[in-house]
Amino acid sequence: MSYCVKCGVELDASAKVCALCKTPVVMPRDLPEEDGHTPYPMQKAHLSKKEKRYTAQILSIILFALSAVCILVNRFYGPDIPWSVYPVGAFIIFYSFFVPTLIFKWHPFVFLSVDMTVIMVYLYMIAWANDGSGWFYTIALPTTFGIYILTLTILWIYQVKRPAIFIMNALVSAAAGILSLIIDGMVHLYVDHIFRLSWSLITASCFIALAFALWATYRNIRLRSEVQKRLHL
Amino acid sequence: MDKNRSWYRLDNAAKIFPAIRSKRRTGVFRVAVLLKEEVDEAALNRSIEQVLPRFPCFAVTMRHGLFWYYLEHCPGAPKAVKDTVYPCMHMRRSKEYPFMFRVLFYRKRIAVEFFHSLTDGTGAMTFLKALLAQYLYEMGVKIDPSKDILNIEEAASAEEMQDAFLRYTKKAPIRLAPEERSYTPMGTIEPPGIVHITTGEMSVAAVKALAKEAGVSITVYLTSVLILSLIKHQKKYNYRQHRPVKVAIPINLRNYFKSSTLRNFIIVENVGVNPNYGEYAFEEILQKVHNYLRLMMNEKDLLAKMTANVALERNMLMRVMPFFMKNIILTFGFQLFGDSRVSSVLSNLGPVYLPKEMQDRVQRFEFILEAVRIKPISCAMISFGDRLVFNFTRMLEEPDVEREFFRFLVKKGVHVKIESNDLQE
């Protein structure tokens, strides 16, 4: 039998470390036990995913029913104006955001790409129905594409580097600042036909300053610990 | 007892569990027995088929109506499955497995896990003892009828199926004082599905001697050690403002109100100290816990608390609310007024008594609760003969609290043997 030298407790014969303090078990003169069985099984269970499929089915039925109702009502109320296209488009966006994640095991980049494509198609459809190709190509498309690239970048950094939550928040803050610059510039380009920045300089400065503050807090270990203690969830 | 009865309402304590289920909260607990020989799977499966008809309140599946969940009779019997590293996993009802309990085995261990809506620890132990008796009978052990084991030849009585809360509570509720939020043990939260089990096996006589010396019961003594460990844990994180440290102690109401119900019949008392009042010595914690429980554990105070819980269920607004809205409100309310009022829970199933013929075949019994995010450390204890088994269930990576707990006992001269389900690397 072995004991933990720090805790004083007896350990199971199969234990390689003490469960209470992780001190390694070293017995240079003893032979290893023949029966290497552990007191608890080491095999993990596989949980079924049936509940997720069921949720996806329910969501699909609900969204399909809602879309059908909108289309039917449109036939009787305002049949000249295809207004049901807008709520049906919104339902399709909601569907593409949630249902594939319940069924498929794609890479997050694929989910993001599908979501952004659906959004851009929806916006294009609105623009086409209302002669808005001007604002679509100048404002909607660059903004959506900008959100896509920024989100993709943050996701990639998270996948590769797994940075701490402070750094993630700093990155999100910086991305929000860059996005405000894009929106401001594109709106001015559409309205004034010239790319210039106005209000976004203030918002971007605030976001960038916040990002820098978060980064600086992270770098200071004592400050980081104090903030974590007070803001932990 | 009408064996043809097809459905049952959930009892008062049971109603909360289906509502508050989530990724990290399964609502499942485990009772287990460690034998002296390897378990025979075929004999175990035969035993389940023989024993389950005696417990019609467990041969059920859970469904929901518009307003409440309910239990529906389910034919057949489940098969025993191989145990896995993380106990108390989700009980997912499916066509293939509609039951709300499962029987598991691993080497010499037989474990039964129940969804808490079915029963409490006492009801679970009654089932496990009956299953064990039938299993040993299948293995050739002759067992005489005994008051310690339910006779499976007898029919189940109506009282075993009864909601004892409704039987005893008065019509007029009595309001209880709201409690302060307690300290939630801090640490690195593990991903959903991963729980650490630390089992400490020790001598009942050794712990009893310590408790007797202090003039308290074993439950009070070990609860005080747990509170002390949690206070030290909170101090380690160097908060300027410390929160109260309280432990929830489930109380078996069958000891105060006559009932042989196999369903839930427990109430929880929260006991602890507030470190903001000063530095508590261990003896002071002992006295506080001992005196508080002596004050509150009487028929009238327990009845008042029971009535307050039942009043919520009887409230007309609550009754007419659809079940999915109830789930949201109950989850929110339970987190605000339930789990967050305590730092941990310590459930003591007490000593297990078996007929003499069975005692020689059993090493020990085990009792494991689940841990949840807002209460990431749960404790459960049970004893058999001179073997007291104290289980920690932990959702945190760091074993700080149990390290303090067991080291305290070792310093007091108690020999503790530790086992754990940590994956050996």
Side-chain angles (χ1 to χ4, degrees):
Chain A
M1 63 179 74
S2 54
Y3 286 77
C4 174
V5 294
K6 286 186 181 168
C7 302
V9 295
E10 185 189 340
L11 301 174
D12 185 72
S14 62
K16 293 196 176 78
V17 297
C18 169
L20 302 181
C21 65
K22 310 298 175 199
T23 302
V25 175
V26 176
M27 298 180 292
R29 289 203 181 87
D30 287 352
L31 290 170
E33 297 276 344
E34 294 234 1
D35 175 6
H37 289 296
T38 50
Y40 289 94
M42 291 291 119
Q43 215 176 339
K44 290 185 190 175
H46 296 285
L47 288 171
S48 68
K49 297 274 185 195
K50 281 202 179 142
E51 214 170 79
K52 281 192 176 177
R53 280 188 179 271
Y54 178 71
T55 308
Q57 283 164 5
I58 293 289
L59 265 177
S60 305
I61 291 168
I62 291 172
L63 290 172
F64 178 76
L66 285 170
S67 306
V69 163
C70 284
I71 293 168
L72 275 171
V73 170
N74 194 185
R75 284 205 66 182
F76 296 106
Y77 292 97
D80 304 325
I81 310 161
W83 57 262
S84 60
V85 166
Y86 301 104
V88 170
F91 293 145
I92 292 172
I93 291 175
F94 184 86
Y95 186 90
S96 73
F97 263 73
F98 293 104
V99 175
T101 57
L102 294 170
I103 305 172
F104 303 113
K105 276 188 182 179
W106 296 333
H107 195 276
F109 292 173
V110 176
F111 282 122
L112 185 66
S113 304
V114 165
D115 295 339
M116 285 298 144
T117 308
V118 170
I119 289 172
M120 282 201 230
V121 166
Y122 182 59
L123 289 171
Y124 180 76
M125 187 196 66
I126 294 174
W128 172 77
N130 295 284
D131 276 333
S133 53
W135 63 259
F136 176 75
Y137 288 109
T138 328
I139 301 176
L141 189 61
T143 307
T144 315
F145 194 70
I147 294 172
Y148 176 60
I149 294 295
L150 288 167
T151 313
L152 210 63
T153 310
I154 292 173
L155 258 180
W156 177 77
I157 293 172
Y158 178 75
Q159 295 254 326
V160 169
K161 295 277 188 188
R162 294 275 172 185
I165 193 130
F166 278 90
I167 302 297
M168 283 305 300
N169 284 326
L171 285 171
V172 169
S173 190
I178 296 168
L179 184 64
S180 66
L181 292 169
I182 294 172
I183 294 171
D184 189 20
M186 289 299 151
V187 166
H188 278 292
L189 187 67
Y190 176 69
V191 173
D192 305 325
H193 303 290
I194 183 168
F195 185 94
R196 69 181 179 87
L197 304 171
S198 58
W199 57 265
S200 62
L201 289 169
I202 302 168
T203 54
S205 320
C206 296
F207 279 124
I208 303 288
L210 178 62
F212 183 75
L214 286 165
W215 174 79
T217 307
Y218 178 74
R219 296 279 302 199
N220 184 324
I221 294 172
R222 202 181 64 82
L223 192 57
R224 183 185 4 164
S225 157
E226 290 294 315
V227 173
Q228 276 172 336
K229 273 190 279 195
R230 276 148 185 74
L231 295 180
H232 79 274
L233 292 167
Chain B
M1 221 295 288
D2 181 9
K3 275 196 172 173
N4 295 323
R5 184 175 168 186
S6 60
W7 72 279
Y8 316 96
R9 294 171 190 269
L10 293 182
D11 60 75
N12 176 255
K15 286 186 164 77
I16 190 79
F17 295 105
I20 60 175
R21 272 185 301 188
S22 67
K23 242 194 287 189
R24 291 182 194 276
R25 191 193 290 268
T26 63
V28 174
F29 69 93
R30 165 188 284 214
V31 289
V33 58
L34 198 63
L35 301 172
K36 289 183 178 169
E37 287 161 9
E38 298 264 336
V39 173
D40 183 315
E41 186 181 352
L44 184 59
N45 281 324
R46 287 196 300 272
S47 309
I48 298 169
E49 283 167 23
Q50 292 293 317
V51 165
L52 193 55
R54 175 64 181 82
F55 296 87
C57 52
F58 297 159
V60 292
T61 186
M62 196 168 69
R63 293 183 187 277
H64 62 77
L66 184 56
F67 301 108
W68 294 106
Y69 285 88
Y70 62 93
L71 302 171
E72 193 176 65
H73 178 69
C74 189
K79 294 272 182 229
V81 294
K82 284 200 179 120
D83 199 2
T84 52
V85 63
Y86 300 124
C88 304
M89 297 186 78
H90 267 289
M91 202 78 69
R92 290 213 169 99
R93 189 181 70 87
S94 65
K95 238 192 231 175
E96 293 80 26
Y97 199 96
F99 297 97
M100 300 308 290
F101 77 98
R102 56 171 86 97
V103 181
L104 309 106
F105 64 96
Y106 169 72
R107 292 185 60 224
K108 299 175 188 176
R109 180 184 288 116
I110 296 174
V112 188
E113 291 183 349
F114 285 90
F115 184 60
H116 221 315
S117 286
L118 249 57
T119 185
D120 56 15
T122 306
M125 272 312 299
T126 308
F127 180 83
L128 178 63
K129 289 200 302 190
L131 181 67
L132 177 65
Q134 183 62 26
Y135 171 79
L136 291 175
Y137 176 75
E138 294 278 339
M139 299 300 285
V141 178
K142 191 177 173 303
I143 301 166
D144 293 324
S146 158
K147 62 174 175 58
D148 296 322
I149 310 280
L150 271 188
N151 190 344
I152 63 166
E153 303 296 327
E154 289 173 2
S157 69
E159 200 176 327
E160 288 173 5
M161 315 280 301
Q162 197 183 46
D163 182 351
F165 289 105
L166 291 180
R167 179 178 163 189
Y168 283 105
T169 48
K170 296 178 200 169
K171 279 187 183 159
I174 298 159
R175 297 205 175 275
L176 301 172
E179 292 183 46
E180 255 183 295
R181 191 187 162 148
S182 288
Y183 167 64
T184 302
M186 286 183 68
T188 315
I189 297 275
E190 295 280 22
I194 296 181
V195 283
H196 298 280
I197 307 290
T198 308
T199 305
E201 193 183 317
M202 50 195 115
S203 158
V204 173
V207 180
K208 205 168 190 176
L210 285 177
K212 197 172 176 188
E213 196 186 350
V216 300
S217 65
I218 291 180
T219 307
V220 168
Y221 193 88
L222 293 177
T223 305
S224 306
V225 179
L226 179 62
I227 290 172
L228 185 69
S229 309
L230 288 163
I231 290 173
K232 286 185 181 172
H233 193 256
Q234 181 171 219
K235 218 189 276 184
K236 191 177 160 185
Y237 284 87
N238 201 25
Y239 278 107
R240 256 185 278 154
Q241 179 73 17
H242 289 185
R243 287 198 189 275
V245 171
K246 284 192 276 185
V247 171
I249 301 181
I251 294 171
N252 185 3
L253 291 167
R254 296 171 188 82
N255 295 336
Y256 297 90
F257 304 94
K258 186 180 168 304
S259 176
S260 58
T261 183
L262 290 175
R263 300 170 72 187
N264 286 290
F265 197 34
I266 48 168
I267 208 149
V268 174
E269 278 296 343
N270 301 337
V271 60
V273 300
N274 191 339
N276 291 310
Y277 295 167
E279 192 81 33
Y280 274 91
F282 179 63
E283 289 69 30
E284 287 175 301
I285 300 174
L286 270 175
Q287 286 310 308
K288 201 150 167 112
V289 172
H290 173 66
N291 291 329
Y292 180 83
L293 288 177
R294 279 181 70 188
L295 187 68
M296 298 309 292
M297 277 170 58
N298 61 78
E299 200 186 294
K300 290 181 173 53
D301 282 285
L302 292 173
L303 186 63
K305 202 159 187 179
M306 247 182 3
T307 312
N309 292 343
V310 172
L312 180 64
E313 173 193 334
R314 285 182 174 152
N315 182 282
M316 200 32 102
L317 190 61
M318 183 57 94
R319 285 164 84 173
V320 301
M321 209 183 288
F323 80 94
F324 50 86
M325 281 175 68
K326 268 201 205 66
N327 288 354
I328 297 168
I329 291 171
L330 284 173
T331 307
F332 199 59
F334 197 73
Q335 284 206 353
L336 268 184
F337 302 111
D339 281 343
S340 65
R341 306 295 118 168
V342 294
S343 310
S344 182
V345 58
L346 196 164
S347 185
N348 182 8
L349 269 187
V352 178
Y353 299 107
L354 291 178
K356 225 169 22 169
E357 304 88 6
M358 292 171 67
Q359 286 173 17
D360 296 332
R361 303 292 177 127
V362 172
Q363 281 190 53
R364 71 183 195 207
F365 282 84
E366 294 163 358
F367 180 31
I368 295 176
L369 298 177
E370 65 157 346
V372 295
R373 192 187 178 116
I374 201 160
K375 198 174 58 190
I377 296 173
S378 298
C379 306
M381 59 189 244
I382 192 168
S383 62
F384 172 68
D386 193 44
R387 295 285 95 206
L388 189 151
V389 175
F390 196 101
N391 264 308
F392 273 88
T393 309
R394 187 179 89 242
M395 204 184 251
L396 304 173
E397 203 182 293
E398 301 86 8
D400 298 343
V401 174
E402 50 250 61
R403 184 171 59 242
E404 276 300 331
F405 182 90
F406 288 119
R407 278 187 182 179
F408 181 94
L409 291 173
V410 167
K411 279 184 204 161
K412 290 284 184 183
V414 178
H415 177 268
V416 180
K417 184 182 175 189
I418 295 291
E419 290 172 4
S420 163
N421 74 335
D422 285 341
L423 295 172
Q424 302 288 336
E425 284 155 14

